């Protein structure tokens, strides 16, 4: 085959796609896409080259239209501008702006949600659903990871269910001095009927009604912006369950809560929510388990 000089392609931002189409056609006519074939084959080759050079989007589809509701700045009912303590000013000369500033949160809350480790699925009661040997290894790895982050943790709260309690106690060995608390509100349950529905798991309406109210109460207790009296950023650990964590994430980000079952979480994984003084919420990690070896990963 005779030597052919390389074809130079220069595509600017404005006319790049048009230039690329012309260059592709020229390249095909000179045989850069292979030896010339029949006339029909040549037309097919040129058509393929032109299609490959065309962008997959158009100018009308660059920016998708926004959907859903606008961000609710008072989602936790703690927006300072909406709060009124009903107290009368002690002096007519009191600066109202100073009073308002004193009522504004100044600290950021970091909430690390930990899913319990692998547990005995064959247990007939909660007391029998304790961690497996692998589950205890996972809890050790999670505790080591939390310690390695070097954060000043304020509290470690856990669900009162056996698998979460055992996970929390193992983790706490890696975090000496951090207060350990138990909470019934964080127990596993059915927060809200998922959309789309699934066939392998169908709680009845009563369970959704009871569990949903309890898990929502847990969300309101633990997921909110800092109190104005809090001066420093805080780091709080909550060891609980996959359904609870996924529901919390949807609610905190103001996503449709019925979408909670579209996410999956590994055992012992870390989900990190950050709540700014303004009430803005960010999801720093979702189900992070990258600190575990692949053979230690489970999702039971």
């Amino acid at each position: 085959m005779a030597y052919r000089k390389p074809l130079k392609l220069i595509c600017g931002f404005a006319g790049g796609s048009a230039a690329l189409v012309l260059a592709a056609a020229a390249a095909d006519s000179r045989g850069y896409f292979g030896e010339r074939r029949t006339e029909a084959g040549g037309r097919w080759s040129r058509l393929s080259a032109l299609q490959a050079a065309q962008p997959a989007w158009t100018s009308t589809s660059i920016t998708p239209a926004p959907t859903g509701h606008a961000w609710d700045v008072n989602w936790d009912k703690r927006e300072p501008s909406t709060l009124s303590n009903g107290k009368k000013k002690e002096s007519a000369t009191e600066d109202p702006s100073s009073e308002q500033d004193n009522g504004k949160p100044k600290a950021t809350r970091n909430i690390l949600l930990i899913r319990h480790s692998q547990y005995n699925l064959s247990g007939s009661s909660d007391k029998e659903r304790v961690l497996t040997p692998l589950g205890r290894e996972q809890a050790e790895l999670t505790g080591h990871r939390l310690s390695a982050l070097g954060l000043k943790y304020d509290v470690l709260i856990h669900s009162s269910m056996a698998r979460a309690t055992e996970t929390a106690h193992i983790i706490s060995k890696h975090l000496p001095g951090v207060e350990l608390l138990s909470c019934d509100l964080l127990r596993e349950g059915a927060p809200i009927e998922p959309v789309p529905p699934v066939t392998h798991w169908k709680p009845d309406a009563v369970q959704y009604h009871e569990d949903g109210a309890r898990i929502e109460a847990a969300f309101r207790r633990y997921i909110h912006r800092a109190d104005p009296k809090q001066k420093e950023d805080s780091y709080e650990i909550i060891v609980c369950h996959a359904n609870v964590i996924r529901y919390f994430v949807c609610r905190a980000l103001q996503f449709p809560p019925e979408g909670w079952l579209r996410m999956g979480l590994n055992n012992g994984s870390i989900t990190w929510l950050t709540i700014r003084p303004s009430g803005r919420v960010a999801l720093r990690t979702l189900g992070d388990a990258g600190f575990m070896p692949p053979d230690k990963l489970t999702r039971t």
Side-chain angles (χ1 to χ4, degrees), residues 112-113 145 249 269-273 282-288:
L112 288 82
L113 301 161
R145 173 60 174 171
V249 169
S269 62
I270 301 173
T271 296
W272 188 336
L273 285 171
L283 180 63
R284 295 189 61 172
T285 63
L286 176 67
D288 176 27

Side-chain angles (χ1 to χ4, degrees), residues 64-211:
T67 59
H69 301 286
W71 178 260
D72 178 11
V73 297
N74 194 30
W75 60 274
D76 58 352
K77 309 305 178 190
R78 295 169 186 253
E79 170 60 30
S81 63
T82 66
L83 297 177
S84 176
N85 56 20
K87 294 181 180 179
K88 296 180 180 179
K89 293 185 177 64
E90 296 181 0
S91 171
T93 60
E94 186 176 345
D95 185 359
S97 62
S98 175
E99 182 181 357
Q100 188 175 20
D101 288 340
N102 291 334
K104 288 184 176 180
K106 302 173 181 62
T108 294
R109 294 185 68 217
N110 294 275
I111 303 169
L112 288 82
L113 301 161
I114 314 297
R115 189 192 175 193
H116 61 78
S117 301
Q118 186 191 64
Y119 68 102
N120 175 27
L121 290 171
S122 61
S124 58
S125 65
D126 178 56
K127 290 183 178 180
E128 296 177 357
R129 293 170 187 159
V130 295
L131 299 186
T132 64
L134 175 56
R136 290 191 288 273
E137 287 186 64
Q138 292 170 338
E140 294 282 0
L141 290 167
T142 303
H144 179 74
R145 173 60 174 171
L146 291 170
S147 176
L149 291 175
L151 302 173
K152 183 182 177 182
Y153 299 108
D154 296 88
V155 66
L156 197 168
I157 307 165
H158 62 85
S159 156
S160 57
M161 297 187 82
R163 54 189 182 269
T165 300
E166 189 175 358
T167 301
H169 279 269
I170 294 174
I171 289 174
S172 69
K173 294 189 301 182
H174 297 266
L175 307 173
V178 178
E179 185 179 12
L180 195 62
L181 300 174
S182 177
C183 179
D184 288 334
L185 293 178
L186 295 167
R187 294 172 70 89
E188 184 63 302
I192 186 173
E193 190 168 358
V195 176
V198 293
T199 57
H200 63 277
W201 185 69
K202 286 187 172 294
D204 57 31
V206 174
Q207 185 175 352
Y208 279 123
H209 179 72
E210 294 178 351
D211 290 353

